[in-house]
Amino acid sequence: MVIVTTIRRDVLTLPAAELGPSNPLPPLRPLDETHRIDERDRSDLPRDMARQIGYEPLRSVLPERLRDGYDRQRTPREIDTIVIENDRLRATVLPGYGGRVVSLVHKPSRRELLYRNPVLQPACFALNGAWFSGGIEWNIGATGHTTLSCSPVHAARVPAPGGGEMLRLWEWERLRDLPFQVDLWLPDGSDFLYVGVRVRNPHEKPAPVYWWSNTAVPEESRVLAPAEEAWHFGYERRLRRVPVPEHEGADRTYPPRSTFPADYFYEVPDGRRRWIAALDATGDGLVQTSTDVLRGRKLFVWGSGPGGRRWQEWLTEPGTGGYCEIQAGLARTQLEHVRLDAESDVSWLEAYGPLAADAEAVHGADWGGALAEAERRLEGALPRGDVDAAYDAWLPHADAEPGEVLAVGSGWGALEVLRAAHKLPGTPFDESTLGDAQAPWLELLRSGAFPEPRRVGPPGETLVAPHWRDMLETAPAVPIAEYHLGVAQWHAGDLAQAVRSWERALELAPSLWPLLRCLAVADQEADNRERAADRYAEAFDDLCRERRDDGEVWTAATAALGREAIGALLAVRRVVEARAVWERLRPATRARGRFRLIEAQLLVAEGEVGAARAVFDEGFEVADLREGAEVVSELWARLSDEAVPGRYEFRMRPGGV
């Protein structure tokens, strides 16, 4: 009996941490400095790679806000899912978390093909903070994990090629101002999940595009990709060509044989089929393949060292097994962005499914033989010509209008469509999705004036694209408009004009602290650290006078500004003032792991080394510890000659502090 493909809503119960509020302070500084290469390496790169590495790097994560309000207290939570199922596969998608495919089960063998995280624990890996591990994630925007990692996307049923239905996910990616869609379907009887992806540039100028599909798989596997060389990138920020599979005396296609976390970007020859697989000791596992537009293939490993193992525990659950990631992208490496011409799009098709190969051939000493075996099995399971044909069959359906809406994303796309009357068949951004966040910008669009807030509170999000900046420049110069204009000018690189806008707003603004904080960041960027400390102290005083309650928004603002103010004051050794800021934080804020670390830093500055060591001995967890950060081990080195305790060991590079 043939079971037709079905799409249905469901609920998944997982131990999950609360995401909490976003950081209300605009992220004026670049957040992610981990994925940058040493300049000495750039001259040795292929010309096209070097050009794309230098093409439109991200200046900040504006207009997004940082997601750093989460904790590590996990409780069972019901999470909305969408399940796509045929008689061979069952895929589970989280529309509220970037459309992540968290499970792909091969029903005949009862095997989970992905690494399925038993918990949902946010950690600071996305460009804007909150991210979680496991499954298949769709990364668009810029080098790093997408800002949509923990955000909702739109989802609906759409007619599929050959009849039946597919699941369409779509959103407006705000870092690059580009709409995209991901169509998932399971043809009846198919062992492969098909994924059609399209990124559109509706603007009159070219745009930089970044895309990587990241798939978590059990790390006790051998990862195969059709390449003899790879570009190795580690957290020491060196990009260098290395042989595959063996490098520095070890076969690096087995993830546990690396010591430190690292990326291996495979150099797949032109004309070779694009694929990557992770196969276990029996020769079974997952394979991903695509049309040729999705050029790059990559292996990410955590490594066997203490830092990598600690991160695995941090992101998952101790004792549940480790994972690595096999990935596919538009460029050879994730350090590159590709050009998408004005009023054009780029699209491709991916396929995910089981692969069963001869174990002896896969794990034998002959790399060429292992690749030949995997490619032969892949061609038997899903011929290359069938992937191209599936893409051709899907493309006419990419514009099909969605039917039943299954989930709703943000209203930012609807705002952009209203502004520019974009025609985006297949991905409607309906006015009904507009919300409070978009309301003042809708007023600016319609009236030419930015509305003054109705109640006292932290300013809302700032739109920074050139067209919105132009509107702010011609709007009446009320303080709130000047504030947002300054943020937009700062993002555009016009730092002096941004400072002038914020200083003008100070003269009449009822709320000073948002402007003083922006000016303090500008002072820091100009290396005027004393004035930055003055302004931070004044800003925090003003916030404490203004805050109205102990609610989520004001508490988040106080914590965010207090954290920055203490850092600025300690940088110029104004320890007494830093302690005064600390004392005015809410007790619940001071109890959080990030602020326990700050307390230890304060104690060291006060000469209380023993008390600082006691903070470590009591134990704390910095929930939003940044990927690659060494602040915990650096502070420990000031307190003790002993090795860093395992619970604080997060170093991801050789020679870390």
Side-chain angles (χ1 to χ4, degrees), residues 27-31 59-61 490 517 521 524-525 536 564:
L28 301 178
R29 302 182 185 88
L31 177 64
R59 289 188 292 269
S60 77
V61 298
W490 181 272
R517 182 263 176 178
V521 173
Q524 288 177 324
E525 292 299 301
Y536 265 120
E564 291 186 12

Side-chain angles (χ1 to χ4, degrees), residues 24 453-460 480 483 510-514 543 546-549 553-554 557:
R454 296 178 180 177
R455 61 177 65 91
V456 174
I480 189 66
Y483 162 82
S511 181
L512 302 181
W513 65 267
L543 171 59
E546 185 177 284
R547 65 186 178 193
R548 295 295 189 264
D549 52 48
V553 173
W554 282 109

Side-chain angles (χ1 to χ4, degrees), residues 62-349:
L62 286 165
E64 294 282 0
R65 287 288 175 88
L66 301 185
R67 303 292 297 272
D68 60 3
Y70 52 86
D71 57 30
R72 293 187 56 80
Q73 303 302 312
R74 296 191 289 267
T75 58
R77 301 179 191 274
E78 291 189 346
I79 300 168
D80 291 334
T81 68
I82 301 172
V83 177
I84 316 168
E85 188 167 11
N86 67 0
D87 57 326
R88 310 290 294 176
L89 288 174
R90 181 172 60 251
T92 303
V93 178
L94 303 188
Y97 291 82
R100 182 84 59 97
V101 180
V102 293
S103 174
L104 184 62
V105 174
H106 185 234
K107 295 164 72 173
S109 63
R110 300 182 180 179
R111 292 179 55 242
E112 172 62 69
L113 300 179
L114 308 177
Y115 172 78
R116 181 171 181 170
N117 199 332
V119 302
L120 201 163
Q121 176 57 62
C124 193
F125 278 69
L127 286 163
N128 61 335
W131 170 87
F132 65 103
S133 63
I136 307 170
E137 56 177 308
W138 319 111
N139 288 296
I140 181 174
T143 300
H145 293 281
T146 177
T147 60
L148 296 168
S149 294
C150 291
S151 296
V153 296
H154 301 281
R157 300 178 190 270
V158 181
E165 294 181 316
M166 59 185 175
L167 172 66
R168 175 162 299 161
L169 310 170
W170 74 98
E171 245 304 349
W172 194 280
E173 200 286 313
R174 301 175 68 203
L175 297 184
R176 302 303 196 182
D177 247 354
L178 302 176
F180 71 97
Q181 69 190 78
V182 178
D183 291 353
L184 304 98
W185 75 102
L186 289 168
D188 290 343
S190 174
D191 275 331
F192 283 82
L193 172 67
Y194 286 171
V195 182
V197 183
R198 178 169 62 174
V199 182
R200 292 194 270 205
N201 177 11
H203 307 296
E204 296 177 350
K205 294 181 179 180
V209 172
Y210 171 94
W211 183 282
W212 281 80
S213 302
N214 293 6
T215 304
V217 292
E219 68 177 352
E220 291 297 332
S221 306
R222 188 178 202 190
V223 173
L224 305 174
E228 304 292 334
E229 293 182 309
W231 294 92
H232 173 274
F233 182 77
Y235 285 80
E236 64 272 27
R237 300 181 186 171
R238 298 294 308 278
L239 183 66
R240 51 202 171 97
R241 197 191 299 258
V242 300
V244 174
E246 189 168 307
H247 169 52
E248 294 182 345
D251 187 333
R252 305 298 178 173
T253 63
Y254 291 91
R257 296 183 185 176
S258 291
T259 304
F260 293 95
D263 301 328
Y264 292 90
F265 298 103
Y266 294 113
E267 189 70 78
V268 180
D270 291 341
R272 195 82 179 260
R273 183 174 184 177
R274 263 53 185 172
W275 63 274
I276 188 168
L279 305 180
D280 64 18
T282 68
D284 295 329
L286 174 81
V287 64
Q288 186 272 0
T289 188
S290 71
T291 49
D292 290 350
V293 167
L294 202 64
R295 174 184 183 179
R297 292 298 185 275
K298 170 193 160 182
L299 164 65
F300 168 75
V301 299
W302 282 108
S304 60
R309 305 326 296 170
R310 180 65 178 123
W311 273 115
Q312 293 255 34
E313 294 177 352
W314 188 255
L315 296 170
T316 60
E317 189 79 355
T320 57
Y323 75 94
C324 63
E325 290 183 357
I326 57 175
Q327 307 180 9
L330 284 175
R332 276 183 287 188
T333 75
Q334 288 174 332
L335 307 176
E336 301 169 69
H337 300 91
V338 300
R339 174 187 167 113
L340 184 59
D341 289 335
E343 300 177 336
S344 69
D345 63 64
V346 60
S347 60
W348 62 91
L349 185 129

